[in-house]
Amino acid sequence: MANVSVTVKSPSISGYRPETQLTQGMDFIPNAPVDSVKRIFVMPIGRDTFSYLKQRGVSHFSNYDLAQADPTEFNQLQNIEGRGYDETPLTCTMFGKPNPGAAVWVKRADKPDEFPWNAYPWIWNKLIFPTDENAVEPMSYADGFEAGENYSIDRSIIVFETRENFNATGPQWAFRRAFYEALMPRMAAYWGNKGIQHYVADNYYTNAGKNLLFFGSASVAKQYASKPVSEWDPHELLPGGNLDITNLWCFGVYLGPLDLNVGVALNLIYNGFLAKKANRFLAVFMQGSLEYFPNNFVEIKHPNEPQTGTLYKYVKPPHTSSQAFNYAFISQEHCAGFIPFSMDSKQQRPFTFLREYHQEGTIYYLADGTGPVDNNLYPHWLNNSGEGPEVFPSNGTGDYVWFGKSAWDQTFRRVDGGVGRYCRFQVDNGAWIEASNVDANDVSDAAYEKRGILWTRKQGNLLAFYYLNVFADINLHTVKFEHPDVPNITFVFTVHSSFIWPGLINLSTITV
Amino acid sequence: MNTLRLNITVPSLSVLDPVGTNTYNLVVRFYSSPNVPLGSPYIPDSYTDTVTTTSTTFPVDVPVTDTEFEYNDVLIKVFANSSEDCCFAQGIFDVVNDPNAPPAPLMARSQYQGWFEHMNATAVQENSGWRIIDQKNYPLDSGYEWSYFLNEVWTKRSDNLNIFWPANTPLTIFKVQTKIGLDSLNRYDPTAAPGGYYDPTAVKPFSNNCTFSFKKFVFND
């Protein structure tokens, strides 16, 4: 019998200076292993260099960032290493059409007024697809196929944006499938020859999985995950669906009220299971802030400019540091990776904002605390974009994405390919919580019993583990879990709050 | 006084301005962008030094009054002498803080926070954790209570936040005035008609059309 105290990686990082409001997480983590391209981890370049961010574990760079690379580096990164990410091209771009910036919606000529044919997904934007008055579809199969033959395959990841605003285009049309029937074999041949995995998603928030939290009970969630894929609810991205030849699903994490976001980490693990079962990749697609009630003040300071006062400017709510950390970690362990949008990157003060978008409603205090005063006195307004780029303060999301990804690099990546298991555990010497290793049972039970999970992966003499309880209270707790194979060995450590607490154990040092 | 140690590499020692055997003058200048001096109160815009070296890589220690992290990404140009056209190296150099500097104390750091007129959350060290108190007495409307989110924990109370946070785990606090007993913020829709699932009065916004106040704490050394 052995009960071994083990250490866990704390999300409190020594030397980190967040009060600067500058993204710096990449500077406070060790270099990532050289095989980091095995999972997707996209992050924005900011003021860093490509080689530096590669060392720190970035797998792919947005085409907008790669445009800054010199020709030699661009060729190396995009064409030789396959690190290009085609960032959310719109439907119009996909089909080789100019961006109309507006919509004129038209209906099928044969069913103009009959529901559901008179609404999305059966209507289309005539400014993108200029059809004649007898048309029953936006584009022919042959034209869709031709567009797929012409679309660039230079980036190994493509995530389209096809479902919103004037670009909204139903996924059920024959020409939409034709596009991928032409594109996917080209991607597979080009990148397969280079030994590089390719990924194509039809839309940046479309996931063919299910919301774990909406099943109503753990048993329904478990039954769904255990059914053959052919018995799942039909979806255009599932086998048999119109777009089933794409291979990447995207799980958007950017919406929702604070209380409903608590279970998202478990939902990600559940959907990671579904995607793997369907033989598809799932990417965590995360915005740098929460898309929810954008009218909240943030304090902006310039301590290196004693004459500049304090500005309060409207922003969207930040993600909690725990969610940013957990989503990045889970994206690597349970999914195919992480793709951000509008994510913080390394910048330099001063923080500059376009007057026309950001001045209204802002509050300004002078450096001596006098105020509020006329907000025109803030010295860093931009009158137009020609005066320079806007520089926003970091809300910390990017940093905790870096810390969460690095925590995975330092633990579970070391045993990537090993055997994964949920283990039985107890909290504060309470009753043992039995873990199931059948399909997605344990994460489903955890979501509905509102408890933690203890996940491990073992390879050779190394055992990686983490504890996560998104429902945790604010007190410290002791977790004890049982070795996945040897019941008389237990490991004990302290946890707090809803962060993932990961660790790595060298089993060869354990004696029973 | 701290120092920033710059690890300078030059293409050849012949680009330097010699003043003796293996001894050279150089001038280091700091910029916020290629032609704009940094203007920091903590680092000199310009620092003149004499170095003795036989290697093309050598350290230069620049005295500064603060070694705040952000100096890692200032543009640094190194000149052979005070003339503006003798620049032989520029870029973002490897900067090493003074190894003899005392260790930084454990502190509560404010990462991202709202207006103090809505919430003024402070953290004071207590035992091995932190006492977190909202010092702002914002008027609470009748029929409403305070909702404070502590990372993922939703707590409701009629008085100001006052809790013990028992570790150095990062803490994100949201503060919002909610109808007493509200079961989900999902019900809040300011444009909804009264009487249905969505409730335009589920949340009472702060002044200045502000929905939430928040503060992100980091506790570290």
Side-chain angles (χ1 to χ4, degrees):
Chain A
M1 191 73 192
N3 185 30
V4 183
S5 264
V6 290
T7 53
V8 280
K9 298 238 163 275
S10 168
S12 173
I13 307 292
S14 185
Y16 173 52
R17 294 292 176 261
E19 64 271 32
T20 59
Q21 299 187 294
L22 296 168
T23 295
Q24 56 198 274
M26 68 293 275
D27 297 330
F28 290 89
I29 58 174
N31 280 344
V34 290
D35 66 347
S36 63
V37 79
K38 281 168 70 177
R39 296 283 202 295
I40 301 169
F41 185 63
V42 177
M43 284 297 266
I45 187 78
R47 291 169 51 83
D48 284 307
T49 62
F50 294 105
S51 59
Y52 180 67
L53 291 191
K54 264 170 60 178
Q55 278 177 11
R56 297 305 203 197
V58 168
S59 67
H60 297 76
F61 296 98
S62 163
N63 54 300
Y64 297 107
D65 285 347
L66 280 175
Q68 303 171 17
D70 67 55
T72 306
E73 188 170 41
F74 180 88
N75 182 55
Q76 176 69 26
L77 290 169
Q78 178 183 281
N79 303 330
I80 297 174
E81 299 178 13
R83 292 178 182 270
Y85 157 49
D86 194 353
E87 182 168 2
T88 56
L90 299 166
T91 311
C92 50
T93 307
M94 189 175 182
F95 291 97
K97 308 291 190 185
N99 184 337
V104 175
W105 299 103
V106 295
K107 300 168 191 164
R108 295 173 57 147
D110 56 341
K111 294 173 178 173
D113 299 315
E114 189 183 334
F115 184 82
W117 315 103
N118 58 356
Y120 182 83
W122 294 101
I123 59 174
W124 63 87
N125 183 356
K126 197 172 179 174
L127 301 183
I128 296 177
F129 303 104
T131 48
D132 66 39
E133 60 194 21
N134 298 318
V136 296
E137 59 182 0
M139 183 181 260
S140 70
Y141 180 93
D143 286 348
F145 193 89
E146 188 182 337
E149 286 182 314
N150 293 332
Y151 195 84
S152 171
I153 55 171
D154 288 343
R155 296 99 179 193
S156 63
I157 305 177
I158 311 174
V159 177
F160 290 105
E161 180 173 345
T162 59
R163 313 283 174 103
E164 287 167 291
N165 303 324
F166 63 85
N167 280 283
T169 308
Q172 79 288 356
W173 301 107
F175 82 97
R176 296 274 272 116
R177 179 178 182 85
F179 178 88
Y180 293 115
E181 285 181 349
L183 178 73
M184 293 305 290
R186 294 173 57 226
M187 288 288 282
Y190 181 73
W191 292 110
N193 280 341
K194 297 175 186 241
I196 291 168
Q197 180 62 51
H198 67 282
Y199 307 87
V200 177
D202 185 63
N203 190 46
Y204 75 95
Y205 60 79
T206 302
N207 164 34
K210 280 283 178 187
N211 191 328
L212 169 63
L213 311 172
F214 286 0
F215 281 109
S217 75
S219 61
V220 180
K222 289 188 277 190
Q223 283 163 18
Y224 190 87
S226 294
K227 283 195 288 194
V229 176
S230 59
E231 294 176 22
W232 289 356
D233 296 345
H235 191 285
E236 70 266 12
L237 300 181
L238 282 173
N242 195 48
L243 305 181
D244 67 349
I245 45 179
T246 59
N247 65 355
L248 180 65
W249 304 349
C250 295
F251 190 118
V253 278
Y254 56 98
L255 293 170
L258 309 177
D259 55 310
L260 295 194
N261 284 334
V262 170
V264 167
L266 300 179
N267 199 10
L268 275 173
I269 295 170
Y270 182 82
N271 278 276
F273 174 85
L274 296 184
K276 279 198 183 93
K277 181 163 177 167
N279 197 25
R280 297 292 187 273
F281 299 106
L282 179 68
V284 175
F285 212 87
M286 185 176 189
Q287 189 178 14
S289 54
L290 201 53
E291 194 71 49
Y292 184 66
F293 288 101
N295 45 329
N296 313 281
F297 282 124
V298 64
E299 178 179 288
I300 296 165
K301 288 188 164 182
H302 289 76
N304 57 340
E305 292 178 15
Q307 75 284 8
T308 299
T310 305
L311 189 74
Y312 294 89
K313 175 188 159 298
Y314 286 130
V315 292
K316 296 173 187 172
H319 295 280
T320 62
S321 300
S322 39
Q323 285 174 16
F325 185 96
N326 292 348
Y327 298 163
F329 191 105
I330 290 167
S331 76
Q332 306 296 304
E333 177 59 19
H334 297 279
C335 307
F338 184 91
I339 304 177
F341 65 115
S342 302
M343 184 60 74
D344 313 322
S345 62
K346 188 178 285 176
Q347 300 297 337
Q348 185 178 350
R349 286 196 287 246
F351 300 117
T352 51
F353 315 105
L354 276 167
R355 194 183 285 277
E356 64 173 312
Y357 299 126
H358 298 292
Q359 186 175 18
E360 189 181 338
T362 60
I363 294 174
Y364 187 58
Y365 291 83
L366 297 178
D368 65 4
T370 310
V373 296
D374 179 4
N375 64 16
N376 279 298
L377 294 171
Y378 182 64
H380 300 301
W381 292 117
L382 302 173
N383 292 309
N384 57 66
S385 55
E387 293 185 355
E390 293 188 288
V391 179
F392 294 91
S394 163
N395 68 14
T397 300
D399 286 339
Y400 281 91
V401 166
W402 282 104
F403 295 151
K405 160 65 162 50
S406 180
W408 182 81
D409 276 332
Q410 295 173 61
T411 55
F412 278 78
R413 180 187 286 285
R414 304 276 304 277
V415 293
D416 202 11
V419 179
R421 285 187 71 77
Y422 292 95
C423 292
R424 66 195 293 262
F425 64 95
Q426 60 177 176
V427 179
D428 300 334
N429 293 313
W432 281 93
I433 309 230
E434 302 302 328
S436 168
N437 279 290
V438 176
D439 297 334
N441 284 10
D442 202 62
V443 72
S444 302
D445 284 333
Y448 286 91
E449 293 169 12
K450 299 199 181 301
R451 63 160 168 87
I453 55 173
L454 194 300
W455 172 251
T456 64
R457 196 176 284 283
K458 181 169 169 286
Q459 190 173 50
N461 275 326
L462 288 180
L463 177 68
F465 66 95
Y466 77 70
Y467 178 76
L468 166 64
N469 183 4
V470 296
F471 310 106
D473 61 20
I474 66 171
N475 301 318
L476 291 174
H477 295 284
T478 302
V479 171
K480 182 193 279 187
F481 75 99
E482 200 171 82
H483 188 296
D485 309 320
V486 189
N488 62 352
I489 300 179
T490 51
F491 303 98
V492 64
F493 55 101
T494 302
V495 299
H496 181 223
S497 187
S498 42
F499 278 83
I500 284 181
W501 294 90
L504 186 68
I505 301 165
N506 184 347
L507 295 172
S508 65
T509 65
I510 308 292
T511 51
V512 183
Chain B
M1 185 70 75
N2 289 315
T3 55
L4 284 182
R5 168 160 291 191
L6 310 180
N7 291 321
I8 307 279
T9 299
V10 298
S12 154
L13 289 175
S14 66
V15 302
L16 299 177
D17 183 20
V19 291
T21 307
N22 297 331
T23 303
Y24 308 89
N25 269 344
L26 50 78
V27 178
V28 179
R29 294 204 182 98
F30 297 87
Y31 295 80
S32 61
S33 63
N35 297 308
V36 182
L38 185 64
S40 162
Y42 307 121
I43 324 185
D45 280 351
S46 175
Y47 172 68
T48 304
D49 201 358
T50 303
V51 298
T52 299
T53 181
T54 54
S55 161
T56 54
T57 295
F58 52 86
V60 173
D61 289 325
V62 180
V64 295
T65 56
D66 187 292
T67 48
E68 195 186 356
F69 144 81
E70 65 186 290
Y71 302 142
N72 279 343
D73 60 3
V74 299
L75 177 64
I76 296 164
K77 296 185 190 178
V78 187
F79 298 85
N81 56 47
S82 58
S83 165
E84 280 290 345
D85 55 7
C86 295
C87 178
F88 60 83
Q90 71 174 47
I92 296 168
F93 287 82
D94 186 14
V95 175
V96 183
N97 289 345
D98 179 3
N100 297 317
L106 177 65
M107 283 175 59
R109 300 173 191 279
S110 169
Q111 172 154 48
Y112 201 66
Q113 66 178 8
W115 193 23
F116 56 82
E117 293 287 2
H118 295 159
M119 177 168 72
N120 180 15
T122 57
V124 175
Q125 221 165 346
E126 180 178 309
N127 301 322
S128 56
W130 304 87
R131 174 62 52 181
I132 312 284
I133 297 176
D134 179 5
Q135 310 279 359
K136 177 64 194 181
N137 293 312
Y138 194 92
L140 190 59
D141 276 33
S142 167
Y144 287 82
E145 60 191 337
W146 290 119
S147 283
Y148 289 96
F149 289 81
L150 308 166
N151 289 347
E152 277 58 58
V153 179
W154 184 357
T155 63
K156 298 169 184 169
R157 53 198 296 158
S158 57
D159 59 348
N160 284 5
L161 183 71
N162 183 341
I163 55 139
F164 178 61
W165 187 251
N168 296 324
T169 314
L171 171 62
T172 305
I173 304 172
F174 285 94
K175 178 185 184 183
V176 56
Q177 194 173 162
T178 50
K179 202 176 256 187
I180 289 174
L182 182 70
D183 62 342
S184 174
L185 282 178
N186 196 39
R187 289 187 184 271
Y188 179 49
D189 178 353
T191 65
Y197 172 84
Y198 294 102
D199 179 358
T201 62
V203 164
K204 173 80 181 176
F206 289 105
S207 68
N208 297 58
N209 187 33
C210 207
T211 310
F212 299 102
S213 194
F214 48 71
K215 182 158 186 168
K216 296 179 88 168
F217 278 112
V218 168
F219 310 99
N220 70 356
D221 55 14

